[in-house]
Amino acid sequence: MDDPLLWHRLQFAFTAMFHYIFPQLTMGLALVIVLLKARSLRPGGEAHADAARFWIRVFGITFAVGVVTGIPLEFQFGTNWSAFTRHTGGIIGHTLGMEGMFAFFLESSFLALLVWGEKKLGPKRHAWAAAALWLGSWLSGYFIVATNAFLQHPVGYTTAADGTLQLASFRAFVLNPWALAQYAHTMVAAVVTAAFVVAAAGAFWSLKGLHPEQARLNLRWGVRAGLLASILAAFPTGDVQGKLVARHQPVTLAAMEGRFESGPRAEINLIGQPNVRERRLDNPVKVPAVLSFIAYGTFSAEVKGLNEFPADQWPTNIELLYYAFHIMAGLGTLMIALMALGALQEWRGRLEGSTALRWALMLAFPFPYIANTAGWLTAELGRQPWLVYGLFRTAQGASANVHSGSALFTLIGFCGLYFVLGLLYLYLVGREVAHGPVPSHPAGPAAAH
Amino acid sequence: MATLWFWLCSVMVAMYVVMDGYDFGAGALHLAVAKTNEERRTVLGALGPFWDGNEVWLLAGGGSLFLAFPRVLGAGFSGFYLAMFLVVWGLALRGISLEFRSHVQGTLWRAFWDAAFCLASAVLPVLFGAALGNLLRGVPLTAEGSFSLPLFTDFSASNPLGLLDWYTVLVGVFALLALMLHGSLFLAWRTEGAVHARSAAIAPKLAAAVGLLWPLVAFATHRVNPALFPTLPGRPLAVTATLIVAAGVVLLVLGLRQRRHHLAFLGSGAFLLGLLAAAAASVFPVMLRSSLDPAWSLTAFNSASSEASLRTGLGWWFVGMPLAIAYLVLLFRLHRGKVQPAGEGEGY
């Protein structure tokens, strides 16, 4: 209880994980909305316009929660991590400042126009408002990922006389190869979330026999986008990300796989339980040589185990890291399989004939949320014990002047606030889904309800 | 370079106060100037398209401070720990009250969010004002450059210090009144009908209250920080800022007299901007004043990031700022004219 570091870490982890429930949907939906709006401008696009209008309402509610849960994260750099702020502000202040300047001003200016301005703007300009939101939200994503990438793989910095990190090369910092790979992976994963949510809504209406045209449209868009994005999440984006971890954070790779012994033809562990005290993986089910191939491109490559590294370099919670990584990878595989089946049946025109598949699609929407959360857990736990990899330890970063009781108090406060916020969000989005898309053309075929 | 960034950060914070200030003020007045559901939707319709963008000034300003003076940001935020979370939670409550209200038609639902919006909008300016009061009065910064303040002690404005004391609460109340005036003028300018009439009626009263409290705040500031005012005449920027304040007051009074509320709104904007600029100019280069030893204060010079980092930041700052202003102009152009209440399900 007296260890403030634990509360600082838990508070940031909890508020960041809760926050990321919302942006992953808005970033993914923004792309879906732009595509729906673009399609709706062509002949026969009325149903697409109705679908876009529906998802824009969901977007509006989700975006609002994303905004109010995002602000606490920026504040916590100062309140809970002031030593870290002092140490790295000269660098990551750039990306955080640019996020406000280039992304937030853009998003906030066009949000109300997108949500409430369809009549005022007319179809074309409304589509442009959607494009502005998409650009803003994806820019915002880049600045945050670039900030995180600096912590994962610091580049473009120098160490000043007072020990703080300062910018040496803006280009190297902003175009960090880690940031590019992580961004591609994160954005594709956000589209997976949106696609699963779209497909789930379509499946729900289809199973209930509501809004038949919208049900079909959303199912079709959901499974197609879902298949494409979930494949891209694994390959190439996830693959590239894995190779970067292997090259720059070999000890993290070993921990993610629960690998203690070094050696060539390294096996991949599908399941098993890491036993850190005994330094082995209990009850593993393994496929030989695959890890060598995934990490280094040849089956014979040597992959180092944890025993190779001093224990003070090990990630601090190897078990959680191992499980988070395996949950992400396992769910990722499952999601590709489900969407492949869905897309195949949709292509054959049999998707709406299969009750089981529609049930599966309706209930599967939490999977991408879990996979996204597990993915971020992997990235952040894998970075430990460092806050800035190899340069600055997490234990050095917290505010020394904040008492553990204060940190615990605000953590509990967030738990209460976010519980209520989560309930309100589910209630409002649930109402929207139950109500369904509202057609703008009253005589149209979707006016059945 | 550090001096330039001191002013860039000050501009961002001042913009935040002027921009988000009117929607705080309007929010705090909301229950008083709008009685029926239709009237409340008019107020929210006037604020809705702008509030989120206005709040971005806080985030962009925070980002600029993070980059240029990370030591100040870290020391200040962690020192004001509990108050910072009151601010964060208040901002969250306020944002969702505005955005969630219109989604459900029930009267209880809407009454609840109206009250929450009003409460959060009233409490936050007091906290922001108190924060400014703390900066002017000084905080117990140690030689290591950190401090920790309890929420309150004996309200005496002398050691042991607390975040809230008679002085900082006075500044907080002054901030609330000044922003309510600012918000009432915004509503009087942007709306018509009953909301306009009530806002226009309450504005002169708020102006009188601000006018009465202002000398008191100035005198109190002199009591807690006697070094501040004597340096004012020797600082050209502070003199300029004082002239802006004076111009704002003239515009405000003229606008109110002639019932040209957009002029009065501009006047109150200049008044707020000038006051903050005068405060910044008179404390420069001190950013966090140590109440224990002036030598331990955090200044623009001993807290700045490296010269190279600041110079690079200037590059994107001067690209981003015109863009932000351009969006703002576009937004005001799209929403020009008096606010019309939106149909049910088509707006705030």
Side-chain angles (χ1 to χ4, degrees):
Chain A
M1 294 295 279
D2 286 338
D3 179 15
L5 183 65
L6 178 65
W7 305 130
H8 290 310
R9 287 184 64 191
L10 268 181
Q11 175 167 290
F12 200 90
F14 170 67
T15 51
M17 284 194 290
F18 186 83
H19 168 66
Y20 197 60
I21 291 172
F22 306 98
Q24 62 180 296
L25 182 60
T26 48
M27 290 188 298
L29 266 187
L31 180 61
V32 174
I33 289 167
V34 168
L35 295 175
L36 281 170
K37 288 300 286 187
R39 175 64 188 81
S40 75
L41 294 175
R42 299 214 314 272
E46 289 85 7
H48 297 85
D50 295 344
R53 192 173 311 115
F54 172 80
W55 288 113
I56 286 169
R57 282 185 71 84
V58 174
F59 180 94
I61 300 167
T62 313
F63 193 91
V65 184
V67 168
V68 301
T69 55
I71 293 172
L73 299 176
E74 305 234 357
F75 272 64
Q76 279 176 80
F77 288 128
T79 50
N80 298 72
W81 299 97
S82 58
F84 163 69
T85 297
R86 207 156 53 228
H87 197 73
T88 56
I91 295 189
I92 65 170
H94 285 287
T95 35
L96 294 177
M98 282 192 286
E99 187 193 24
M101 209 70 119
F102 293 101
F104 289 160
F105 275 124
L106 180 62
E107 287 179 291
S108 60
S109 302
F110 290 93
L111 176 68
L113 288 172
L114 178 69
V115 177
W116 306 119
E118 188 178 1
K119 270 191 191 157
K120 189 172 196 152
L121 295 174
K124 266 226 175 95
R125 289 202 294 167
H126 194 231
W128 280 109
L133 250 300
W134 169 68
L135 180 67
S137 62
W138 281 49
L139 266 177
S140 169
Y142 189 74
F143 290 123
I144 290 304
V145 167
T147 307
N148 185 260
F150 179 78
L151 310 185
Q152 299 284 354
H153 178 53
V155 290
Y157 68 92
T158 56
T159 306
D162 62 356
T164 61
L165 302 180
Q166 298 291 342
L167 196 67
S169 164
F170 183 70
R171 181 188 290 261
F173 165 59
V174 172
L175 298 178
N176 187 344
W178 193 292
L180 302 175
Q182 194 179 354
Y183 180 64
H185 190 52
T186 309
M187 289 296 128
V188 165
V191 178
V192 175
T193 297
F196 269 77
V197 168
V198 168
F204 172 72
W205 295 323
S206 176
L207 285 167
K208 292 267 281 183
L210 294 170
H211 325 296
E213 191 187 8
Q214 286 295 325
R216 202 169 313 124
L217 177 82
N218 280 284
L219 270 171
R220 183 168 73 238
W221 279 63
V223 293
R224 287 182 185 176
L227 178 62
L228 188 65
S230 51
I231 290 175
L232 289 174
F235 190 87
T237 67
D239 178 61
V240 171
Q241 182 76 58
K243 288 186 164 61
L244 281 172
V245 172
R247 178 157 9 130
H248 298 293
Q249 301 182 350
V251 55
T252 303
L253 181 73
M256 279 158 63
E257 269 299 290
R259 180 177 176 80
F260 290 91
E261 303 292 335
S262 303
R265 294 185 55 77
E267 69 281 1
I268 194 158
N269 299 311
L270 299 181
I271 44 177
Q273 304 103 25
N275 184 339
V276 176
R277 188 177 305 169
E278 306 285 334
R279 297 197 172 199
R280 61 161 196 262
L281 191 71
D282 292 337
N283 316 310
V285 173
K286 27 186 166 177
V287 186
V290 170
L291 182 61
S292 292
F293 182 73
I294 289 176
Y296 298 106
T298 71
F299 288 105
S300 56
E302 155 114 10
V303 178
K304 287 182 177 165
L306 282 165
N307 290 339
E308 203 85 12
F309 304 93
D312 73 337
Q313 310 271 327
W314 289 11
T316 37
N317 198 329
I318 289 169
E319 295 88 343
L320 188 57
L321 171 58
Y322 171 91
Y323 289 118
F325 172 62
H326 281 77
I327 286 168
M328 177 193 74
L331 280 179
T333 314
L334 198 66
M335 290 192 290
I336 294 175
L338 178 62
M339 281 305 183
L341 193 60
L344 177 71
Q345 295 296 68
E346 195 273 323
W347 180 64
R348 296 169 65 198
R350 294 195 185 167
L351 180 53
E352 291 211 82
S354 166
T355 306
L357 193 52
R358 283 179 296 163
W359 268 95
L361 285 171
M362 181 177 76
L363 295 179
F365 77 88
F367 286 0
Y369 286 101
I370 298 170
N372 267 295
T373 307
W376 276 108
L377 275 174
T378 307
E380 299 303 275
L381 289 165
R383 198 188 63 221
Q384 305 303 324
W386 303 100
L387 217 172
V388 185
Y389 204 81
L391 298 174
F392 188 74
R393 284 181 179 266
T394 306
Q396 296 170 274
S399 304
N401 51 336
V402 174
H403 190 268
S404 66
S406 299
L408 181 55
F409 170 77
T410 52
L411 170 59
I412 294 169
F414 274 114
C415 290
L417 182 68
Y418 284 2
F419 177 70
V420 175
L421 209 50
L423 286 181
L424 282 168
Y425 175 75
L426 289 176
Y427 169 64
L428 287 177
V429 172
R431 281 179 88 246
E432 294 295 330
V433 174
H435 189 238
V438 182
S440 63
H441 45 112
H449 77 288
Chain B
M1 191 60 69
T3 309
L4 181 56
W5 273 98
F6 175 90
W7 283 105
L8 294 184
C9 291
S10 303
V11 166
M12 305 286 281
V13 172
M15 278 304 284
Y16 173 66
V17 173
V18 172
M19 299 303 296
D20 220 14
Y22 71 73
D23 61 57
F24 277 117
L29 286 169
H30 163 70
L31 294 183
V33 298
K35 306 287 189 191
T36 65
N37 180 43
E38 178 128 318
E39 288 165 13
R40 296 220 167 127
R41 297 194 66 207
T42 304
V43 173
L44 298 177
L47 305 180
F50 301 103
W51 80 269
D52 189 18
N54 293 342
E55 202 160 292
V56 173
W57 289 100
L58 176 69
L59 297 176
S64 301
L65 197 64
F66 198 119
L67 166 66
F69 307 105
R71 194 176 292 268
V72 174
L73 183 103
F77 275 41
S78 60
F80 296 148
Y81 189 83
L82 289 175
M84 281 296 167
F85 283 92
L86 291 181
V87 168
V88 168
W89 295 338
L91 286 174
L93 181 66
R94 193 168 177 275
I96 58 165
S97 330
L98 239 168
E99 293 291 332
F100 282 3
R101 181 190 188 275
S102 72
H103 285 275
V104 180
Q105 286 193 25
T107 47
L108 281 186
W109 174 270
R110 293 191 167 180
F112 174 79
W113 292 118
D114 284 338
F117 182 56
C118 181
L119 179 76
S121 299
V123 170
L124 284 166
V126 178
L127 285 171
F128 285 133
L132 179 65
N134 272 278
L135 298 185
L136 291 172
R137 180 205 59 198
V139 292
L141 261 179
T142 62
E144 288 78 46
S146 76
F147 68 96
S148 162
L149 268 184
L151 259 185
F152 57 88
T153 51
D154 55 3
F155 288 91
S156 72
S158 55
N159 285 319
L161 290 173
L163 248 160
L164 301 176
D165 57 36
W166 68 267
Y167 172 69
T168 61
V169 171
L170 179 68
V171 179
V173 171
F174 180 70
L176 174 62
L177 282 172
L179 294 188
M180 280 166 79
L181 169 61
H182 197 45
S184 70
L185 294 169
F186 180 78
L187 289 179
W189 165 39
R190 299 282 300 163
T191 64
E192 44 194 16
V195 176
H196 167 84
R198 291 196 199 104
S199 307
I202 206 168
K205 293 174 194 155
L206 287 166
V210 170
L212 283 176
L213 207 56
W214 187 17
L216 202 64
V217 172
F219 178 70
T221 304
H222 183 62
R223 277 286 302 276
V224 300
N225 188 348
L228 200 67
F229 285 114
T231 65
L232 255 174
R235 295 170 180 250
L237 275 171
V239 175
T240 316
T242 315
L243 291 177
I244 294 176
V245 174
V249 171
V250 171
L251 206 56
L252 177 68
V253 173
L254 277 180
L256 276 177
R257 281 246 173 108
Q258 303 173 355
R259 303 186 60 78
R260 288 158 74 182
H261 293 108
H262 63 288
L263 283 186
F265 176 70
L266 281 179
S268 81
F271 173 69
L272 292 168
L273 205 67
L275 278 186
L276 289 165
S282 54
V283 297
F284 177 83
V286 173
M287 300 184 79
L288 262 185
R289 178 171 178 252
S290 174
S291 60
L292 304 178
D293 182 344
W296 295 342
S297 295
L298 292 181
T299 70
F301 302 119
N302 68 17
S303 305
S305 290
S306 79
E307 192 74 10
S309 204
L310 294 182
R311 204 172 314 115
T312 309
L314 223 47
W316 58 255
W317 201 94
F318 279 103
V319 175
M321 190 44 61
L323 273 176
I325 303 281
Y327 302 143
L328 192 65
V329 171
L330 179 69
L331 203 57
F332 266 97
R333 281 185 59 91
L334 278 168
H335 292 277
R336 65 180 171 272
K338 301 277 185 183
V339 179
Q340 304 300 330
E344 192 59 61
E346 288 178 354
Y348 288 89

